[in-house]
Amino acid sequence: MKLQLDEYAYLNTPLHRWDPRYKLISFMVLIFAFSFVHSLYLLPGMVAVSGTLYIVSSLPLSFLLARLRLPGFFLLMMAVLLPFLSGQNALFYLGPLAVKQEGCLDLLLISVKFLCILTLVIILFGTTPFLTNIKAMRALGLSSILADMILFSYRYLYDIGDKLKTMETAMKLRGFLRRNLKSLGTLASLAGTILVRSYEQSDRVYKAMILRGYGQAGGTRSGPRRDEFQAYPRDLAGLLVLVFIAVAFVVAEICLR
Amino acid sequence: MNSKEPVLSVSNLSFSYPDRSLVLKDLNLIVWPGERVGIIGPNGAGKTTFFMLICGVLKTTSGEIRLFGKPVVPGEFHPEVGMVFQNPDDQLFCPSVRDDVAFGPRNLGLPEEEVEARVREAFAVTGMQELGDYPPHHLSGGQKRMAAIAGVLAMRPRLVIYDEPTSNLDIRYRRRLIHFLRGARETMLIASHDLEFILEVCDRVILIDEGRIVADAKPREVMGNAALMEAHGLERPHSLVPHAEPHHN
Amino acid sequence: MNSKEPVLSVSNLSFSYPDRSLVLKDLNLIVWPGERVGIIGPNGAGKTTFFMLICGVLKTTSGEIRLFGKPVVPGEFHPEVGMVFQNPDDQLFCPSVRDDVAFGPRNLGLPEEEVEARVREAFAVTGMQELGDYPPHHLSGGQKRMAAIAGVLAMRPRLVIYDEPTSNLDIRYRRRLIHFLRGARETMLIASHDLEFILEVCDRVILIDEGRIVADAKPREVMGNAALMEAHGLERPHSLVPHAEPHHN
Amino acid sequence: MHIPDGVLPTAVCLGGYATAGAATWFSLRKISQKENPREGIPKASLLTAAFLVASWIHIPVPPASVHLVLNGLLGVVLGYYAFPAILIGLFFQAVMFQHGGLTTLGVNATVMGVPALLAYYLFRLRNIFGKDNRVGTGLFAFLAGAGGIGLAAVTVFVLLVTTIPAHMDVEAERASIYALTLAHIPVMIIEGVFTAVLALFLQRVKPELLEGDS
Ligand SMILES: Nc1ncnc2c1ncn2[C@@H]1O[C@H](COP(=O)(O)OP(=O)(O)OP(=O)(O)O)[C@@H](O)[C@H]1O
Ligand SMILES: Nc1ncnc2c1ncn2[C@@H]1O[C@H](COP(=O)(O)OP(=O)(O)OP(=O)(O)O)[C@@H](O)[C@H]1O
Ligand SMILES: [Mg+2]
Ligand SMILES: [Mg+2]
């Protein structure tokens, strides 16, 4: 099973070198600023900002496009529904159905915002190894119970995904074809077996953890300390630039309303 | 034995994973009915990958694999071929051992009496009768392995593939497995790091290293050749070192 | 070697699981500093259970266990004792090998430079340097085992417990492990079905069957005794059968 | 099912984070009251990963196949761990598969997680029949599974239809909510049946897993 989220995290660009804590804050601020935008006039600006950042990140375009496939379905659904459902002013007619102006504009706004935010998320998680990002979140004060849960679940996601694949193979080799709803029972016991095995493994893992001092001197922290990250003035400068852009969008939006 | 058509014929087989190229390189191999072929080689040599290709779980990059004369079509189900996985946990997914053994025959669409009969037979061969109603995850490692084998045998495959069947088995279970395999009539492919086991069970051995077949001959010829074995990170099994006292009858 | 206090002393130890009584029956044992004790016995003999009791993961039903003179308190953490689990997957729970090796030293509350130094040292011993940034589940079986060992060694335990360290290892890795264990100075308990391995590494062997210690002596004495071994479902290792040609220097 | 980025107004997103934060706080408090929270972390993480993986199993519904959400089942099995588990599962889905979004993480977690908690309370009612009664377990598991996804679906539709098309009239809004909900009934039935079969499997093989709070 391959998720390859941080396939290109080894590249060396200003975005890759940026302290992950500052990068995380800056991108989250910018993402929320984008989600605040409602005015169509600001859309070109959003596209320009996220496009520039994507170019700076040196991530290949194919990486972005491959990641659009799944959410693309949602956009498609909106594209089918919105122009017909929303608004009063018909632009033109498709047979008996009126294609409405407001609906089309809604669609334009939603798709552009969606694409821009998606691009930012992909840059954020594509230019830093995933684990480093989680460590940065913890350094920024994410509850250590949640951070530990994220780290451990991430670790076991691959493991369990591989198990599932192997078990599906084993079933197929013994003639199991998922042809109809009757296979629901078998699939439920497949899912059940995955749960039971994970549960039993968690018991052994817990034992291994306490044997290595889990929950002792350092509390529940299993990962890095704050001093793992080191910030330089240029990290702060990057933060200020992106926050400035974000504020500009918010102010412009408020003025245009 | 060579009178009939080959069970398995592999010609010019190469295979790459998306992120790892040429795990198998230009393999050629013919297996005849009744042969018990041992496959040895270091970790990462490509043994499991080769088995997955034979079963049609993975798709060949180039070359061809034929089972019983017909080309293997990936994703298609081949009831003539059974596989015992490296990890028996991957193979036992029903709430009881009995259900698990019956799983294959039921998928073959057999009538319930026939399913019953197959289960009884597979239990008899592996000695699992008393454990039929246990949930598989309460079994010990050795019993799990035997349950997995019973599940495969109940389908009466003509070719059975065993991936590391002795790992985690104690010596008692290991001996029982040797006994049973030596008495079985199906064609077999067996991958194992347990060279003594291969020596006792197989009548032909293939040595794979870095995705290539390096040797293919009688077990004593391949494994007795200390120079060859050491060149591929292996060791000559102890029982092939000349002995003063005989210890197998 | 026997000059100092014992590393481990077990007296009249018995243990029952809630649903399985007397898995261990009245065990007595003393282990001295520097000893390498092999523990052999069939599946289900109680080896893993015994190890869990020593580590204080399970609570004794009766009897006492002392480590370095102090009684073991269940649930308490003993940094002097390290354990390598039967299945390395249970033990490699961090997202990268480096984090995993650093896990123990961090929990000891060591300063970050000291943690770094420990990690470097453990990597050097096991030869894992280049694999530090890999996620453990992308490693091969042998590498996983070595990573698990590195994680335990980084805590610098004075007693290390190995549960089936050679299962799933190919011969190359197995030889590396033998090499490393023969050079190590810690006291060790090693459970294994791989009798040749025990023979090469240990200087004392304990045979357990059905929760009792059946024999406790030098490896060649216990494992060379064909009658004893067979009485407990084991076999005399091949290398203890007299040979015409010497093959170990 | 998960709402992506850029669709909801910022106020709704922030509101979602607020409710999700409150629910997480509530769950973590319940957890620390009940048991050794250290012991719960590996268990909850492994099961979180397992649930995420289990939701990749595609169920054949001729002629297509669907993936299940399993939020009702998550409540049934994980009890108070369900909410943090869903939060983390959605985070992974958002950043790894672009399914859902980061701004909408709070909203999605609330929409999926609160029904999961309710499903947990609902499933506990099976104790009326006694813990070992298979009919009781099957029935309440069905209700928990179908109800969990049903409630989540209706909430999603209400959110989407009332917030996105700013220019839609009330009549059309109501009609489309009804239509989408009706279209979801087969999915509810499938989730319910799957949850019931799975709960019966667990009761037979590993009953501890169904006790959630123990
Ligand atoms: N899914 C995969 N994706 C990429 N590479 C893989 C994958 N599975 C295996 N490999 C690599 O392919 C090579 C062959 O693997 P394979 O599992 O076939 O070895 P093997 O001979 O079965 O080893 P072992 O003795 O450990 O079972 C190894 O180097 C392995 O790292
Ligand atoms: N959690 C448990 N609950 C009940 N019985 C158990 C449990 N764990 C082990 N047992 C039983 O206790 C006995 C001893 O098990 P143990 O795991 O100690 O054996 P072992 O000597 O390590 O075997 P192996 O060689 O297979 O590793 C076995 O009969 C086993 O079935
Ligand atoms: Mg293999
Ligand atoms: Mg054991």
Side-chain angles (χ1 to χ4, degrees):
Chain A
M1 192 196 59
K2 275 161 240 79
L3 305 169
Q4 291 178 343
L5 177 73
D6 38 18
E7 198 179 348
Y8 295 99
Y10 62 87
L11 297 177
N12 191 5
T13 71
L15 279 171
H16 286 79
R17 287 192 297 271
W18 199 356
D19 183 317
R21 291 170 302 171
Y22 288 79
K23 184 159 60 179
L24 201 63
I25 299 177
S26 316
F27 272 72
M28 284 313 287
V29 170
L30 194 58
I31 284 170
F32 269 96
F34 278 9
S35 89
F36 185 67
V37 166
H38 269 282
S39 157
L40 291 174
Y41 300 110
L42 293 177
L43 295 187
M46 276 166 60
V47 173
V49 170
S50 42
T52 310
L53 284 171
Y54 200 81
I55 290 166
V56 173
S57 77
S58 294
L59 297 173
L61 193 61
S62 59
F63 184 67
L64 178 64
L65 293 180
R67 267 146 209 289
L68 279 177
R69 210 168 303 146
L70 196 75
F73 284 112
F74 186 87
L75 272 192
L76 206 67
M77 198 181 86
M78 297 292 228
V80 170
L81 292 178
L82 270 183
F84 302 109
L85 290 180
S86 174
Q88 275 87 38
N89 304 326
L91 275 180
F92 57 89
Y93 288 86
L94 273 180
L97 293 170
V99 176
K100 316 234 175 64
Q101 188 189 355
E102 291 90 336
C104 289
L105 293 180
D106 283 343
L107 179 64
L108 181 68
L109 176 72
I110 286 175
S111 341
V112 171
K113 271 170 71 175
F114 166 78
L115 287 176
C116 289
I117 294 178
L118 190 74
T119 308
L120 291 184
V121 172
I122 285 170
I123 300 171
L124 176 59
F125 286 92
T127 57
T128 314
F130 184 75
L131 296 175
T132 313
N133 262 328
I134 303 303
K135 289 169 184 172
M137 285 182 199
R138 180 182 356 223
L140 289 172
L142 179 69
S143 133
S144 81
I145 290 191
L146 282 183
D148 277 4
M149 275 182 74
I150 295 178
L151 288 174
F152 290 131
S153 325
Y154 179 73
R155 156 72 179 84
Y156 284 104
L157 196 56
Y158 292 90
D159 230 44
I160 298 173
D162 285 342
K163 266 180 215 161
L164 174 71
K165 221 175 103 189
T166 317
M167 289 173 75
E168 286 186 316
T169 303
M171 292 174 106
K172 213 159 76 184
L173 280 176
R174 284 162 75 194
F176 176 69
L177 303 168
R178 62 180 93 217
R179 237 179 324 206
N180 50 36
L181 272 175
K182 259 195 286 176
S183 49
L184 203 66
T186 309
L187 291 173
S189 67
L190 175 67
T193 305
I194 292 269
L195 293 184
V196 170
R197 282 180 62 187
S198 310
Y199 180 82
E200 288 178 344
Q201 189 178 13
S202 77
D203 200 43
R204 297 189 299 268
V205 168
Y206 176 63
K207 284 176 182 164
M209 286 167 73
I210 49 170
L211 282 181
R212 283 164 69 198
Y214 188 57
Q216 301 294 314
T220 52
R221 306 170 62 91
S222 62
R225 306 289 160 92
R226 266 153 218 259
D227 48 26
E228 188 184 45
F229 298 107
Q230 255 205 328
Y232 298 98
R234 61 180 154 86
D235 293 313
L236 185 60
L239 175 93
L240 292 178
V241 170
L242 282 211
V243 170
F244 176 77
I245 296 176
V247 171
F249 271 100
V250 173
V251 171
E253 169 70 27
I254 292 172
C255 296
L256 284 169
R257 264 195 192 158
Chain B
M1 270 201 196
N2 296 13
S3 57
K4 296 206 279 167
E5 62 167 3
V7 170
L8 170 70
S9 80
V10 175
S11 47
N12 303 101
L13 170 68
S14 294
F15 179 77
S16 305
Y17 284 106
D19 54 345
R20 186 163 199 127
S21 69
L22 288 178
V23 170
L24 295 177
K25 297 169 198 132
D26 201 28
L27 253 58
N28 286 287
L29 179 67
I30 292 192
V31 175
W32 299 98
E35 279 191 313
R36 293 201 287 257
V37 184
I39 301 197
I40 61 175
N43 282 135
K47 303 179 292 295
T48 302
T49 307
F50 183 44
F51 288 166
M52 296 294 187
L53 284 160
I54 296 177
C55 296
V57 174
L58 295 173
K59 194 171 165 310
T60 60
T61 307
S62 72
E64 197 190 34
I65 304 178
R66 286 177 167 266
L67 281 170
F68 305 100
K70 282 170 299 202
V72 170
V73 180
E76 243 179 40
F77 165 52
H78 303 274
E80 311 92 359
V81 181
M83 176 150 160
V84 178
F85 281 67
Q86 200 158 351
N87 181 356
D89 282 332
D90 292 335
Q91 200 160 352
L92 301 168
F93 34 72
C94 296
S96 81
V97 175
R98 187 182 311 282
D99 287 341
D100 214 282
V101 176
F103 181 84
R106 283 215 180 96
N107 284 329
L108 291 177
L110 298 176
E112 204 55 25
E113 314 85 69
E114 175 68 12
V115 171
E116 282 288 315
R118 294 266 186 117
V119 171
R120 240 176 294 121
E121 188 197 290
F123 275 172
V125 171
T126 50
M128 298 291 292
Q129 295 90 336
E130 322 86 78
L131 298 171
D133 297 320
Y134 274 64
H137 64 277
H138 282 177
L139 299 181
S140 90
Q143 294 160 336
K144 274 185 194 165
R145 177 77 62 193
M146 290 313 230
I149 293 176
V152 169
L153 294 182
M155 301 189 69
R156 300 223 179 117
R158 290 163 63 196
L159 169 66
V160 191
I161 299 177
Y162 295 90
D163 200 351
E164 313 279 354
T166 59
S167 86
N168 283 319
L169 283 199
D170 71 6
I171 296 182
R172 234 182 283 214
Y173 275 113
R174 179 172 168 277
R175 192 131 287 290
R176 172 174 211 143
L177 186 66
I178 291 176
H179 215 81
F180 154 67
L181 290 179
R182 285 165 71 126
R185 275 164 304 124
E186 306 90 5
T187 313
M188 294 172 200
L189 297 179
I190 308 176
S192 183
H193 295 302
D194 181 349
L195 303 182
E196 299 285 354
F197 169 76
I198 295 283
L199 199 60
E200 292 204 42
V201 171
C202 299
D203 48 26
R204 177 178 169 193
V205 161
I206 291 171
L207 168 55
I208 299 192
D209 196 8
E210 301 189 347
R212 277 183 214 285
I213 294 184
V214 183
D216 177 353
K218 291 239 168 295
R220 283 170 183 272
E221 262 168 62
V222 177
M223 298 202 272
N225 182 341
L228 173 72
M229 293 295 276
E230 265 148 44
H232 297 285
L234 300 171
E235 279 174 11
R236 183 165 49 154
H238 273 291
S239 58
L240 287 184
V241 175
H243 282 58
E245 181 195 307
H247 56 282
H248 281 305
N249 37 344
Chain C
M1 270 201 194
N2 296 11
S3 58
K4 297 205 277 166
E5 61 168 1
V7 170
L8 170 70
S9 79
V10 175
S11 47
N12 304 100
L13 170 67
S14 294
F15 179 77
S16 304
Y17 283 106
D19 55 345
R20 185 160 197 129
S21 69
L22 288 179
V23 170
L24 294 176
K25 294 168 200 135
D26 200 30
L27 252 59
N28 286 287
L29 179 69
I30 293 191
V31 176
W32 298 99
E35 278 191 314
R36 293 201 287 258
V37 184
I39 301 198
I40 60 174
N43 280 136
K47 303 180 293 294
T48 302
T49 307
F50 183 44
F51 288 165
M52 296 296 185
L53 284 161
I54 296 176
C55 295
V57 172
L58 294 175
K59 193 173 166 306
T60 60
T61 307
S62 72
E64 197 191 35
I65 305 178
R66 286 176 166 267
L67 281 170
F68 304 101
K70 281 170 297 200
V72 170
V73 181
E76 242 179 41
F77 169 53
H78 304 275
E80 312 92 359
V81 181
M83 174 149 160
V84 177
F85 279 61
Q86 197 158 354
N87 181 357
D89 283 331
D90 294 336
Q91 194 159 0
L92 300 168
F93 35 73
C94 294
S96 83
V97 174
R98 188 181 311 280
D99 283 341
D100 213 283
V101 176
F103 182 88
R106 281 211 179 100
N107 284 326
L108 291 177
L110 299 176
E112 202 60 21
E113 313 84 69
E114 173 67 12
V115 171
E116 281 288 313
R118 294 267 186 116
V119 170
R120 240 178 294 119
E121 187 197 290
F123 276 171
V125 171
T126 50
M128 297 291 294
Q129 294 91 336
E130 322 86 78
L131 298 172
D133 296 320
Y134 274 62
H137 56 273
H138 280 178
L139 300 180
S140 90
Q143 293 160 336
K144 274 187 195 167
R145 179 76 64 191
M146 290 314 231
I149 292 175
V152 170
L153 294 182
M155 302 187 69
R156 297 221 183 120
R158 290 161 65 197
L159 168 66
V160 191
I161 298 176
Y162 294 91
D163 200 351
E164 313 278 353
T166 60
S167 87
N168 282 320
L169 284 198
D170 72 6
I171 296 183
R172 234 181 284 214
Y173 275 114
R174 178 171 168 278
R175 192 131 287 290
R176 175 179 205 137
L177 186 66
I178 290 175
H179 215 82
F180 155 67
L181 290 180
R182 285 166 70 128
R185 274 164 305 124
E186 305 89 5
T187 311
M188 294 172 201
L189 297 179
I190 308 177
S192 182
H193 295 301
D194 181 349
L195 302 183
E196 299 285 354
F197 169 77
I198 294 283
L199 200 59
E200 293 204 40
V201 171
C202 300
D203 48 27
R204 176 178 169 194
V205 161
I206 291 170
L207 168 56
I208 298 191
D209 196 8
E210 301 189 347
R212 280 183 212 285
I213 295 185
V214 183
D216 177 353
K218 290 238 170 295
R220 283 171 183 271
E221 262 168 63
V222 177
M223 298 201 272
N225 182 341
L228 174 72
M229 294 295 275
E230 264 148 44
H232 297 284
L234 300 170
E235 278 174 12
R236 182 165 51 152
H238 273 291
S239 57
L240 287 184
V241 175
H243 282 58
E245 181 194 306
H247 57 281
H248 281 304
N249 37 344
Chain D
M1 266 312 285
H2 308 331
I3 304 173
D5 281 317
V7 169
L8 295 180
T10 312
V12 177
C13 292
L14 292 177
Y17 268 106
T19 48
T24 307
W25 175 81
F26 170 77
S27 302
L28 292 180
R29 211 183 55 129
K30 282 283 185 189
I31 289 166
S32 56
Q33 276 171 4
K34 269 218 158 103
E35 55 185 303
N36 177 0
R38 270 201 296 158
E39 179 165 11
I41 288 176
K43 184 174 124 191
S45 325
L46 262 145
L47 287 174
T48 302
F51 268 107
L52 205 55
V53 169
S55 72
W56 299 341
I57 296 176
H58 45 281
I59 308 295
V61 184
S65 71
V66 297
H67 291 257
L68 300 181
V69 176
L70 297 181
N71 65 332
L73 180 66
L74 239 148
V76 165
V77 171
L78 285 184
Y80 291 114
Y81 282 104
F83 200 91
I86 284 177
L87 186 66
I88 290 169
L90 287 170
F91 174 71
F92 282 134
Q93 293 202 323
V95 296
M96 287 182 183
F97 311 108
Q98 286 67 51
H99 196 28
L102 273 191
T103 50
T104 50
L105 182 62
V107 175
N108 285 330
T110 308
V111 163
M112 297 289 157
V114 171
L117 277 179
L118 296 177
Y120 165 58
Y121 288 120
L122 182 65
F123 183 69
R124 281 209 301 198
L125 294 180
R126 83 184 161 124
N127 292 339
I128 300 169
F129 291 82
K131 263 197 164 79
D132 300 324
N133 185 308
R134 295 183 67 78
V135 177
T137 301
L139 179 67
F140 280 101
F142 175 85
L143 293 177
I149 186 67
L151 188 54
V154 172
T155 321
V156 169
F157 299 143
V158 170
L159 270 177
L160 284 181
V161 170
T162 50
T163 56
I164 312 171
H167 313 280
M168 202 158 166
D169 62 68
V170 185
E171 203 73 347
E173 274 183 2
R174 200 175 296 144
S176 41
I177 290 174
Y178 286 147
L180 286 167
T181 306
L182 278 178
H184 243 75
I185 285 178
V187 175
M188 285 173 61
I189 292 175
I190 289 175
E191 286 254 353
V193 171
F194 192 84
T195 304
V197 177
L198 216 156
L200 290 172
F201 175 91
L202 293 179
Q203 188 175 45
R204 193 164 152 199
V205 170
K206 194 90 190 166
E208 303 98 286
L209 255 173
L210 284 184
E211 279 151 33
D213 51 340
S214 65

